[in-house]
Amino acid sequence: MFSSILTGTSSGLSVASVAACAAASIVSGLILGLTYKKCENPSKSFTTTISLLPLIVMLVIMMVNGNLGVGVAVAGSFSLVKFRSLPGKASDILIIFAAMGLGLATGMGYVVFAVAAAAVFALIYFIFSSTSILSADGSYRNLRITIPEDLDYIESFSDIFEKYTKKAEEQAVRTINLGTMYQVTYDINLKNASLEKEMIDAIRVRNGNLPVISSRAATVAAEL
């Protein structure tokens, strides 16, 4: 598993060894692509890219194997990540690096290791994606409360927060509706997520039934 099929091929690459490396690259790429499709449901073009990326990296590494250009080729391969212009998730970057790593392995001739590593990575990724092992705490909320300008937002909701939350931190305050109202943003940690509606109803009584927005998204300064 940990030996290279390209060892002792200083005289040149054989068709059989190149074919074996290419097959391992395609198989490992398909394992990654299908796993990512199952877990994240990306676009077809992204899945195709992930499936073929190990093959491309393998060809680059294989063509410069044994030369000083290997280091330059590796750096150039990993720099491809920066050319993704579309906004993506952290998992997109993870799967790209995984595909490149497998391409490096097959390019150096470690075909069995690459396929085994792809299978192990896919299994671990599937387990993490389909279970709640690394899930975020569902009790955290971003709360936005609209209040009239004559209501003291500093003390008006302190008793409500004390009753329903473990922690409530004011993040931002801004005026809206030509300065006739305020919108106050809090990051809160609920004591009991099932009582969220009860908390919102209590706030609505206090703020005159003006809009109250509770979301799982983190506070984004650019939106304020």
PDB file of all heavy atoms in Angstrom, residues 169-188:
ATOM      1  N   GLU A 169     -26.489  39.430  24.548  1.00  0.00           N
ATOM      2  CA  GLU A 169     -25.529  40.506  24.347  1.00  0.00           C
ATOM      3  C   GLU A 169     -26.015  41.439  23.230  1.00  0.00           C
ATOM      4  O   GLU A 169     -26.320  40.981  22.131  1.00  0.00           O
ATOM      5  CB  GLU A 169     -24.156  39.937  23.983  1.00  0.00           C
ATOM      6  CG  GLU A 169     -23.520  39.126  25.089  1.00  0.00           C
ATOM      7  CD  GLU A 169     -22.156  38.606  24.689  1.00  0.00           C
ATOM      8  OE1 GLU A 169     -21.782  38.786  23.501  1.00  0.00           O
ATOM      9  OE2 GLU A 169     -21.457  38.043  25.541  1.00  0.00           O
ATOM     10  N   GLU A 170     -26.072  42.714  23.542  1.00  0.00           N
ATOM     11  CA  GLU A 170     -26.448  43.696  22.531  1.00  0.00           C
ATOM     12  C   GLU A 170     -25.293  43.863  21.547  1.00  0.00           C
ATOM     13  O   GLU A 170     -24.156  44.102  21.933  1.00  0.00           O
ATOM     14  CB  GLU A 170     -26.768  45.030  23.208  1.00  0.00           C
ATOM     15  CG  GLU A 170     -27.162  46.129  22.233  1.00  0.00           C
ATOM     16  CD  GLU A 170     -27.332  47.464  22.937  1.00  0.00           C
ATOM     17  OE1 GLU A 170     -27.971  47.481  24.012  1.00  0.00           O
ATOM     18  OE2 GLU A 170     -26.801  48.469  22.433  1.00  0.00           O
ATOM     19  N   GLN A 171     -25.608  43.757  20.249  1.00  0.00           N
ATOM     20  CA  GLN A 171     -24.578  43.841  19.220  1.00  0.00           C
ATOM     21  C   GLN A 171     -24.608  45.157  18.443  1.00  0.00           C
ATOM     22  O   GLN A 171     -23.559  45.674  18.074  1.00  0.00           O
ATOM     23  CB  GLN A 171     -24.740  42.675  18.223  1.00  0.00           C
ATOM     24  CG  GLN A 171     -24.564  41.310  18.852  1.00  0.00           C
ATOM     25  CD  GLN A 171     -23.175  41.101  19.408  1.00  0.00           C
ATOM     26  OE1 GLN A 171     -22.189  41.576  18.847  1.00  0.00           O
ATOM     27  NE2 GLN A 171     -23.075  40.392  20.521  1.00  0.00           N
ATOM     28  N   ALA A 172     -25.798  45.687  18.184  1.00  0.00           N
ATOM     29  CA  ALA A 172     -25.878  46.907  17.379  1.00  0.00           C
ATOM     30  C   ALA A 172     -27.227  47.580  17.582  1.00  0.00           C
ATOM     31  O   ALA A 172     -28.227  46.928  17.925  1.00  0.00           O
ATOM     32  CB  ALA A 172     -25.667  46.589  15.902  1.00  0.00           C
ATOM     33  N   VAL A 173     -27.235  48.876  17.361  1.00  0.00           N
ATOM     34  CA  VAL A 173     -28.469  49.670  17.409  1.00  0.00           C
ATOM     35  C   VAL A 173     -28.464  50.610  16.212  1.00  0.00           C
ATOM     36  O   VAL A 173     -27.437  51.231  15.913  1.00  0.00           O
ATOM     37  CB  VAL A 173     -28.572  50.503  18.702  1.00  0.00           C
ATOM     38  CG1 VAL A 173     -29.880  51.291  18.716  1.00  0.00           C
ATOM     39  CG2 VAL A 173     -28.473  49.617  19.935  1.00  0.00           C
ATOM     40  N   ARG A 174     -29.589  50.690  15.523  1.00  0.00           N
ATOM     41  CA  ARG A 174     -29.674  51.634  14.409  1.00  0.00           C
ATOM     42  C   ARG A 174     -31.088  52.218  14.346  1.00  0.00           C
ATOM     43  O   ARG A 174     -32.061  51.601  14.800  1.00  0.00           O
ATOM     44  CB  ARG A 174     -29.334  50.973  13.085  1.00  0.00           C
ATOM     45  CG  ARG A 174     -30.370  49.968  12.584  1.00  0.00           C
ATOM     46  CD  ARG A 174     -30.094  49.574  11.151  1.00  0.00           C
ATOM     47  NE  ARG A 174     -31.078  48.631  10.644  1.00  0.00           N
ATOM     48  CZ  ARG A 174     -31.120  48.199   9.388  1.00  0.00           C
ATOM     49  NH1 ARG A 174     -30.210  48.629   8.521  1.00  0.00           N
ATOM     50  NH2 ARG A 174     -32.038  47.345   9.003  1.00  0.00           N
ATOM     51  N   THR A 175     -31.191  53.393  13.779  1.00  0.00           N
ATOM     52  CA  THR A 175     -32.495  54.024  13.592  1.00  0.00           C
ATOM     53  C   THR A 175     -33.059  53.593  12.244  1.00  0.00           C
ATOM     54  O   THR A 175     -32.327  53.397  11.268  1.00  0.00           O
ATOM     55  CB  THR A 175     -32.377  55.554  13.630  1.00  0.00           C
ATOM     56  OG1 THR A 175     -31.475  55.994  12.609  1.00  0.00           O
ATOM     57  CG2 THR A 175     -31.883  56.024  14.987  1.00  0.00           C
ATOM     58  N   ILE A 176     -34.377  53.462  12.185  1.00  0.00           N
ATOM     59  CA  ILE A 176     -35.057  53.101  10.939  1.00  0.00           C
ATOM     60  C   ILE A 176     -36.314  53.955  10.799  1.00  0.00           C
ATOM     61  O   ILE A 176     -36.686  54.684  11.727  1.00  0.00           O
ATOM     62  CB  ILE A 176     -35.437  51.600  10.919  1.00  0.00           C
ATOM     63  CG1 ILE A 176     -36.360  51.263  12.092  1.00  0.00           C
ATOM     64  CG2 ILE A 176     -34.195  50.725  10.949  1.00  0.00           C
ATOM     65  CD1 ILE A 176     -36.883  49.822  12.044  1.00  0.00           C
ATOM     66  N   ASN A 177     -36.935  53.845   9.637  1.00  0.00           N
ATOM     67  CA  ASN A 177     -38.184  54.569   9.374  1.00  0.00           C
ATOM     68  C   ASN A 177     -38.028  56.069   9.631  1.00  0.00           C
ATOM     69  O   ASN A 177     -38.800  56.685  10.369  1.00  0.00           O
ATOM     70  CB  ASN A 177     -39.327  53.986  10.211  1.00  0.00           C
ATOM     71  CG  ASN A 177     -40.695  54.374   9.678  1.00  0.00           C
ATOM     72  OD1 ASN A 177     -40.834  54.667   8.487  1.00  0.00           O
ATOM     73  ND2 ASN A 177     -41.695  54.383  10.557  1.00  0.00           N
ATOM     74  N   LEU A 178     -36.954  56.643   9.014  1.00  0.00           N
ATOM     75  CA  LEU A 178     -36.671  58.084   9.129  1.00  0.00           C
ATOM     76  C   LEU A 178     -36.430  58.516  10.576  1.00  0.00           C
ATOM     77  O   LEU A 178     -36.785  59.639  10.973  1.00  0.00           O
ATOM     78  CB  LEU A 178     -37.791  58.902   8.493  1.00  0.00           C
ATOM     79  CG  LEU A 178     -38.017  58.679   6.990  1.00  0.00           C
ATOM     80  CD1 LEU A 178     -39.188  59.515   6.495  1.00  0.00           C
ATOM     81  CD2 LEU A 178     -36.759  58.999   6.200  1.00  0.00           C
ATOM     82  N   GLY A 179     -35.868  57.625  11.363  1.00  0.00           N
ATOM     83  CA  GLY A 179     -35.514  57.970  12.733  1.00  0.00           C
ATOM     84  C   GLY A 179     -36.642  57.870  13.737  1.00  0.00           C
ATOM     85  O   GLY A 179     -36.457  58.232  14.906  1.00  0.00           O
ATOM     86  N   THR A 180     -37.794  57.366  13.311  1.00  0.00           N
ATOM     87  CA  THR A 180     -38.929  57.262  14.244  1.00  0.00           C
ATOM     88  C   THR A 180     -38.904  55.961  15.047  1.00  0.00           C
ATOM     89  O   THR A 180     -39.692  55.803  15.979  1.00  0.00           O
ATOM     90  CB  THR A 180     -40.255  57.359  13.488  1.00  0.00           C
ATOM     91  OG1 THR A 180     -40.348  56.282  12.529  1.00  0.00           O
ATOM     92  CG2 THR A 180     -40.355  58.691  12.744  1.00  0.00           C
ATOM     93  N   MET A 181     -38.036  55.051  14.680  1.00  0.00           N
ATOM     94  CA  MET A 181     -37.943  53.769  15.380  1.00  0.00           C
ATOM     95  C   MET A 181     -36.485  53.359  15.491  1.00  0.00           C
ATOM     96  O   MET A 181     -35.616  53.860  14.778  1.00  0.00           O
ATOM     97  CB  MET A 181     -38.725  52.669  14.641  1.00  0.00           C
ATOM     98  CG  MET A 181     -40.218  52.898  14.569  1.00  0.00           C
ATOM     99  SD  MET A 181     -41.058  51.561  13.687  1.00  0.00           S
ATOM    100  CE  MET A 181     -42.750  52.193  13.688  1.00  0.00           C
ATOM    101  N   TYR A 182     -36.228  52.415  16.396  1.00  0.00           N
ATOM    102  CA  TYR A 182     -34.910  51.817  16.560  1.00  0.00           C
ATOM    103  C   TYR A 182     -34.999  50.325  16.250  1.00  0.00           C
ATOM    104  O   TYR A 182     -36.028  49.677  16.490  1.00  0.00           O
ATOM    105  CB  TYR A 182     -34.398  51.986  17.991  1.00  0.00           C
ATOM    106  CG  TYR A 182     -33.971  53.381  18.346  1.00  0.00           C
ATOM    107  CD1 TYR A 182     -34.858  54.276  18.963  1.00  0.00           C
ATOM    108  CD2 TYR A 182     -32.675  53.826  18.086  1.00  0.00           C
ATOM    109  CE1 TYR A 182     -34.473  55.557  19.297  1.00  0.00           C
ATOM    110  CE2 TYR A 182     -32.270  55.119  18.428  1.00  0.00           C
ATOM    111  CZ  TYR A 182     -33.175  55.969  19.020  1.00  0.00           C
ATOM    112  OH  TYR A 182     -32.779  57.243  19.356  1.00  0.00           O
ATOM    113  N   GLN A 183     -33.912  49.786  15.728  1.00  0.00           N
ATOM    114  CA  GLN A 183     -33.779  48.331  15.583  1.00  0.00           C
ATOM    115  C   GLN A 183     -32.553  47.896  16.390  1.00  0.00           C
ATOM    116  O   GLN A 183     -31.427  48.323  16.115  1.00  0.00           O
ATOM    117  CB  GLN A 183     -33.609  47.916  14.123  1.00  0.00           C
ATOM    118  CG  GLN A 183     -33.587  46.397  13.946  1.00  0.00           C
ATOM    119  CD  GLN A 183     -33.405  45.977  12.500  1.00  0.00           C
ATOM    120  OE1 GLN A 183     -32.306  46.041  11.966  1.00  0.00           O
ATOM    121  NE2 GLN A 183     -34.497  45.576  11.859  1.00  0.00           N
ATOM    122  N   VAL A 184     -32.796  47.072  17.389  1.00  0.00           N
ATOM    123  CA  VAL A 184     -31.738  46.618  18.293  1.00  0.00           C
ATOM    124  C   VAL A 184     -31.436  45.151  17.994  1.00  0.00           C
ATOM    125  O   VAL A 184     -32.355  44.329  17.907  1.00  0.00           O
ATOM    126  CB  VAL A 184     -32.147  46.788  19.768  1.00  0.00           C
ATOM    127  CG1 VAL A 184     -30.950  46.547  20.680  1.00  0.00           C
ATOM    128  CG2 VAL A 184     -32.742  48.168  20.021  1.00  0.00           C
ATOM    129  N   THR A 185     -30.163  44.827  17.835  1.00  0.00           N
ATOM    130  CA  THR A 185     -29.742  43.469  17.503  1.00  0.00           C
ATOM    131  C   THR A 185     -29.021  42.842  18.692  1.00  0.00           C
ATOM    132  O   THR A 185     -28.118  43.450  19.271  1.00  0.00           O
ATOM    133  CB  THR A 185     -28.818  43.468  16.282  1.00  0.00           C
ATOM    134  OG1 THR A 185     -29.485  44.079  15.177  1.00  0.00           O
ATOM    135  CG2 THR A 185     -28.430  42.058  15.894  1.00  0.00           C
ATOM    136  N   TYR A 186     -29.442  41.627  19.052  1.00  0.00           N
ATOM    137  CA  TYR A 186     -28.844  40.887  20.159  1.00  0.00           C
ATOM    138  C   TYR A 186     -28.381  39.520  19.672  1.00  0.00           C
ATOM    139  O   TYR A 186     -28.990  38.917  18.769  1.00  0.00           O
ATOM    140  CB  TYR A 186     -29.853  40.661  21.293  1.00  0.00           C
ATOM    141  CG  TYR A 186     -30.427  41.904  21.924  1.00  0.00           C
ATOM    142  CD1 TYR A 186     -31.583  42.490  21.423  1.00  0.00           C
ATOM    143  CD2 TYR A 186     -29.841  42.470  23.051  1.00  0.00           C
ATOM    144  CE1 TYR A 186     -32.132  43.627  22.014  1.00  0.00           C
ATOM    145  CE2 TYR A 186     -30.381  43.603  23.646  1.00  0.00           C
ATOM    146  CZ  TYR A 186     -31.527  44.175  23.120  1.00  0.00           C
ATOM    147  OH  TYR A 186     -32.062  45.294  23.710  1.00  0.00           O
ATOM    148  N   ASP A 187     -27.330  39.014  20.279  1.00  0.00           N
ATOM    149  CA  ASP A 187     -26.963  37.606  20.174  1.00  0.00           C
ATOM    150  C   ASP A 187     -27.354  36.955  21.487  1.00  0.00           C
ATOM    151  O   ASP A 187     -26.894  37.374  22.555  1.00  0.00           O
ATOM    152  CB  ASP A 187     -25.464  37.435  19.935  1.00  0.00           C
ATOM    153  CG  ASP A 187     -25.085  37.687  18.490  1.00  0.00           C
ATOM    154  OD1 ASP A 187     -25.981  37.656  17.633  1.00  0.00           O
ATOM    155  OD2 ASP A 187     -23.890  37.922  18.216  1.00  0.00           O
ATOM    156  N   ILE A 188     -28.222  35.938  21.408  1.00  0.00           N
ATOM    157  CA  ILE A 188     -28.745  35.327  22.622  1.00  0.00           C
ATOM    158  C   ILE A 188     -28.523  33.819  22.612  1.00  0.00           C
ATOM    159  O   ILE A 188     -28.340  33.202  21.562  1.00  0.00           O
ATOM    160  CB  ILE A 188     -30.256  35.619  22.797  1.00  0.00           C
ATOM    161  CG1 ILE A 188     -31.067  34.978  21.659  1.00  0.00           C
ATOM    162  CG2 ILE A 188     -30.514  37.119  22.859  1.00  0.00           C
ATOM    163  CD1 ILE A 188     -32.566  35.099  21.830  1.00  0.00           C
TER     164      ILE A 188
END
